[in-house]
């Protein structure tokens, strides 16, 4: 009989958490990419790569991952008040209605799943009845499954990138192989983003993502929509 | 001295900015608005150069007090620290604007800071409508705006920023513009908007960032739920092509959405006039819908010289 190896267990937990089969419905959201394709701002793998790289370098996902890290540390210390503070921060930062609804729906689904898998995890969630953001639930899942902080942030960003590349493959459209090539090319930007995010101070939580906001706001008015954001 | 930086509706705040050692301005402006017998009074004002406030005026009757802030030194230079504190007491209604565009000059290395702190009490409403800010190439500027609303208080505010004196062909090639906005209601964070634009960086030209547009503007109204119909009306008030006469090669992009208990409009384009024109119309719409205790049309301050 083989004794359980904690590194293997962590890897398995990570694979489960970032899997596209995690039942949170990520594949139904494009985070404004659908608007950008319809207005011909995203036309190929190169323009999509530029967009995703900018998000990682200075955009909204970078800040969200930085706050996810803060939720993670607060949950490790079982500081529910701080978890609650950062969860509110995430809701206040997701400024468009669609992006907020996306984060809340995915957060609700993941929280419900964790309740089934690990009932004790519920004590780490905020006590108030405010909607739970996906980044909040993801951080708590990572704490429950004993993932380390850098792996948690990397996993969050990788699953985000893979999901949006999949949206791009369907919308632009791109070939499946082109999508996989793009995901490989993002491995360095992903690594650099994690390094930067791990050292950000609270005062450095800022960025520039006007394109994301405008694309998301205008997604609400698109005549035909495949995606929910 | 009565301290106007009491924060009855928000989180505790840190110590005030320290005054600077030499030659830079440490300007302060503290205003309080109080309602007595159907009239909103400017019940307290305390100023320190280069900030000043004009005598209040009442172009639309006693209920709403209009105040105009002035920066008497002509502009903001590196190292300046400006602090504005506004306190609106229960049921009072005030409109605060600026006498002219705010200029932030090229820095000699030090960062200029402006901190605005607004408290709005129950049943009160503040309209914060400064004229545009022109950030010169090479400027280093941080602004921070914190609004604390009581449970049924309202705030409407806008910011229009031009990065680089683009009318004369100047681009924002070096420098830094940071703007941090937080709006709280009854101790809960409703909206946080932490912005940073690094001059000359990829974000200036990327469609993900400013897409080559020198002008960005935001209008937000918070404190009460907004209907989807109102969002749709605000969208329809934008006239596509409003920027076309100014720069035919760049189209402005605008968007409207619902915030938590509020509404947000964003403008990214080339024309401060086009942004302002749209924002004034949305402001008018919000006033007719619900802003403040009575429905009324927007009354444009004369200092805007439209």
């Amino acid at each position: 009989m083989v004794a359980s190896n904690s590194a293997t267990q962590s890897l398995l937990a990570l694979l489960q958490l970032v899997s596209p089969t995690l039942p949170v419905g990520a594949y139904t959201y494009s985070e404004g990419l659908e608007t950008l394709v319809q207005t011909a701002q995203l036309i190929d793998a190169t323009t999509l790569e530029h967009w995703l790289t900018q998000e990682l370098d200075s955009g909204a996902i970078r800040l969200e991952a930085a706050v996810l890290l803060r939720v993670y540390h607060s949950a490790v210390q079982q500081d529910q008040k701080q978890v609650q503070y950062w969860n509110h921060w995430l809701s206040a930062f997701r400024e468009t209605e669609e992006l907020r609804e996306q984060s809340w729906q995915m957060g609700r689904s993941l929280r419900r799943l964790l309740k089934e898998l690990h009932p004790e995890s519920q004590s780490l969630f905020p006590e108030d009845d405010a909607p739970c953001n996906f980044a909040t639930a993801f951080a708590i899942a990572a704490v429950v499954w004993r993932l380390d902080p850098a792996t948690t942030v990397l996993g969050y960003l990788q699953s985000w990138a893979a999901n949006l590349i999949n949206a791009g493959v369907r919308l632009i459209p791109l070939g499946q192989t082109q999508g996989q090539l793009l995901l490989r090319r993002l491995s360095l930007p992903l690594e650099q983003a994690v390094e930067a995010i791990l050292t950000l101070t609270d005062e450095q939580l800022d960025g520039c993502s006007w394109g994301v906001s405008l694309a998301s706001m205008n997604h609400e008015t698109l005549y035909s929509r495949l995606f929910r954001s | 001295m009565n301290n106007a930086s009491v924060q009855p509706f928000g989180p505790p705040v840190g110590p005030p900015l320290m005054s600077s050692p030499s030659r830079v301005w440490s300007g302060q402006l503290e205003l309080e608005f109080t309602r007595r017998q159907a009239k909103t009074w400017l019940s307290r004002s305390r100023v320190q150069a280069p900030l000043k406030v004009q005598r209040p005026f009442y172009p639309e009757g006693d209920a709403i007090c209009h105040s105009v802030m002035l920066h008497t030194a002509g502009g903001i230079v590196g190292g300046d620290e400006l602090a504005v504190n506004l306190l609106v007491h229960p049921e009072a209604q005030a409109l605060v604007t600026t006498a002219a565009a705010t200029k932030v000059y090229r820095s000699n290395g030090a960062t200029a800071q402006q901190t605005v702190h607004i408290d709005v009490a129950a049943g009160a409403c503040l309209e914060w409508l400064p004229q545009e800010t022109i950030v010169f190439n090479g400027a280093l500027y941080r602004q921070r705006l914190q609004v604390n609303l009581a449970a049924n208080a309202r705030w409407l505010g806008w910011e229009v920023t031009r990065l680089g004196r683009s009318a004369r062909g100047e681009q924002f090639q070096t420098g830094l513009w940071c703007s941090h906005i937080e709006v709280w209601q009854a101790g809960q964070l409703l909206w946080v908007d932490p912005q940073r634009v690094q001059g000359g960086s990829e974000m200036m030209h990327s469609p993900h960032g400013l897409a080559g547009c020198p002008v960005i503007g935001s209008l937000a109204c918070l404190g009460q739920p907004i209907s989807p119909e109102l969002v749709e009306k605000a969208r329809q008030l934008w006239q596509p092509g409003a920027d076309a006469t100014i720069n035919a090669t760049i189209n402005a992009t605008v968007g409207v959405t619902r915030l938590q208990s509020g509404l947000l409009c964003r403008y990214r384009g080339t024309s401060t006039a086009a942004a302002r024109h749209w924002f004034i119309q949305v402001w008018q719409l919000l006033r007719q819908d619900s802003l403040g205790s009575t429905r009324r049309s927007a009354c444009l301050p004369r200092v805007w010289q439209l």
Side-chain angles (χ1 to χ4, degrees):
Chain A
M1 187 177 152
V2 181
S4 100
N5 174 317
S6 71
T8 305
Q9 291 303 315
S10 284
L11 180 58
L12 285 169
L14 175 69
L15 292 172
Q16 186 168 355
L17 186 56
V18 305
S19 166
T21 63
L22 190 76
V24 295
Y27 65 92
T28 62
Y29 299 104
S30 87
E31 299 182 15
L33 296 192
E34 188 163 27
T35 314
L36 297 165
V37 171
Q38 287 201 19
T39 54
Q41 295 177 75
L42 276 189
I43 51 171
D44 53 20
T46 307
T47 44
L48 179 56
E49 179 177 359
H50 172 81
W51 185 272
L52 298 175
T53 308
Q54 285 297 112
E55 260 297 90
L56 290 168
D57 183 59
S58 57
I61 196 65
R62 173 173 170 276
L63 281 193
E64 203 169 272
V67 174
L68 174 147
L69 185 65
R70 283 154 173 75
V71 175
Y72 176 98
H73 289 306
S74 306
V76 165
Q77 292 164 6
Q78 307 202 324
D79 187 342
Q80 264 184 326
K81 279 248 150 44
Q82 274 303 103
V83 171
Q84 182 173 312
Y85 171 84
W86 288 115
N87 186 53
H88 279 291
W89 201 98
L90 288 166
S91 296
F93 177 63
R94 307 267 307 192
E95 67 182 21
T96 75
E97 187 163 20
E98 283 191 351
L99 290 176
R100 221 164 37 241
E101 293 291 342
Q102 172 187 342
S103 180
W104 289 349
Q105 180 272 308
M106 290 169 65
R108 190 163 57 237
S109 299
L110 183 52
R111 181 175 183 171
R112 201 181 296 141
L113 180 66
L114 278 176
K115 191 175 180 180
E116 297 296 325
L117 303 180
H118 301 278
E120 75 283 6
S121 67
Q122 297 304 298
S123 68
L124 296 173
F125 283 89
E127 275 181 331
D128 66 353
D129 54 5
C132 176
N133 287 282
F134 183 59
T136 303
F138 192 100
I140 290 173
V143 170
V144 171
W145 285 343
R146 300 181 188 284
L147 299 178
D148 66 75
T151 302
T152 303
V153 173
L154 183 65
Y156 185 76
L157 293 177
Q158 196 276 347
S159 63
W160 165 83
N163 186 55
L164 288 192
I165 288 172
N166 185 44
V169 163
R170 290 160 67 190
L171 287 165
I172 294 174
L174 301 174
Q176 296 286 352
T177 309
Q178 277 182 296
Q180 292 301 310
L181 279 167
L182 173 50
L183 190 54
R184 285 308 302 155
R185 284 203 298 278
L186 283 181
S187 54
L188 189 59
L190 282 165
E191 187 181 339
Q192 289 167 338
V194 173
E195 267 175 43
I197 287 163
L198 287 174
T199 58
L200 278 184
T201 64
D202 288 358
E203 288 68 38
Q204 292 171 320
L205 294 180
D206 55 22
C208 179
S209 49
W210 280 74
V212 178
S213 269
L214 290 166
S216 172
M217 287 174 174
N218 290 316
H219 188 264
E220 296 172 17
T221 67
L222 287 187
Y223 179 70
S224 72
R225 279 173 285 191
L226 284 175
F227 289 84
R228 296 171 70 189
S229 77
Chain B
M1 187 189 79
N2 186 6
N3 188 347
S5 61
V6 173
Q7 319 306 325
F9 316 114
V13 293
L17 295 170
M18 300 299 290
S19 54
S20 306
S22 62
R23 282 180 299 161
V24 295
W25 291 105
S26 177
Q28 288 189 34
L29 180 73
E30 295 181 9
L31 304 178
E32 287 186 33
F33 298 92
T34 306
R35 185 179 174 105
R36 278 198 304 271
Q37 291 156 359
K39 179 168 181 172
T40 297
W41 302 80
L42 177 59
S43 52
R44 179 170 176 275
S45 73
R46 181 174 162 274
V47 299
Q48 181 177 312
L51 295 179
K52 280 180 72 175
V53 63
Q54 291 180 356
R55 279 165 60 93
F57 59 112
Y58 296 86
E60 50 184 330
D62 286 347
I64 303 185
C65 177
H66 287 226
S67 290
V68 178
M69 294 167 34
L70 291 106
H71 189 291
T72 56
I76 298 174
V77 301
D80 279 5
E81 290 179 353
L82 304 175
V84 175
N85 280 291
L86 307 178
L87 180 54
V88 188
H89 288 286
E91 306 294 330
Q93 295 187 57
L95 182 156
V96 178
T97 184
T98 52
T102 299
K103 293 174 184 160
V104 186
Y105 296 115
R106 169 184 283 275
S107 168
N108 52 6
T111 301
Q113 301 199 41
Q114 174 174 275
T115 307
V116 178
H117 211 106
I118 295 171
D119 279 291
V120 188
C125 175
L126 178 75
E127 293 167 326
W128 169 251
L129 309 175
Q131 300 199 53
E132 71 262 26
T133 300
I134 301 166
V135 182
F136 286 35
N137 182 32
L140 299 173
Y141 185 53
R142 281 182 184 276
Q143 60 179 18
R144 190 177 170 92
L145 170 63
Q146 178 159 341
V147 180
N148 298 323
L149 301 172
N152 59 341
R154 313 255 181 278
W155 172 79
L156 180 144
W158 67 42
E159 299 273 354
V160 177
T161 302
R162 177 183 290 282
L163 294 168
R165 287 171 293 173
S166 48
R168 57 173 70 188
E170 180 183 277
Q171 295 184 353
F172 193 56
Q173 289 169 322
T174 66
L176 182 68
W177 172 81
C178 293
S179 167
H180 185 101
I181 301 175
E182 285 185 9
V183 181
W184 296 72
Q185 187 165 41
Q188 180 172 324
L189 185 59
L190 290 181
W191 181 45
V192 59
D193 186 34
Q195 300 276 348
R196 173 176 49 90
V197 175
Q198 184 80 50
S201 68
E202 182 96 41
M203 60 176 74
M204 301 282 303
H205 296 284
S206 167
H208 172 273
L210 304 191
C213 297
V215 177
I216 44 178
S218 306
L219 177 153
C221 178
L222 288 115
Q224 65 183 4
I226 294 283
S227 69
E229 292 72 34
L230 208 61
V231 171
E232 190 45 44
K233 282 183 189 166
R235 284 182 178 131
Q236 285 166 3
L237 288 173
W238 169 252
Q239 292 159 344
D243 276 15
T245 51
I246 296 137
N247 187 333
T249 60
I250 300 177
N251 287 319
T253 309
V254 305
V256 186
T257 191
R258 284 202 286 182
L259 294 167
Q260 302 185 94
S261 298
L263 172 136
L264 174 66
C265 301
R266 297 278 202 193
Y267 169 95
R268 183 183 72 182
T270 58
S271 165
T272 52
R276 181 172 54 196
H277 180 74
W278 180 43
F279 286 174
I280 287 172
Q281 290 185 305
V282 175
W283 172 42
Q284 172 116 17
L285 170 73
L286 290 165
R287 266 201 170 191
Q288 284 168 348
D289 183 75
S290 56
L291 193 68
S293 55
T294 49
R295 297 173 182 217
R296 60 177 75 232
S297 303
C299 174
L300 308 189
R302 275 174 313 172
V303 290
W304 289 355
Q305 298 174 335
L306 297 178

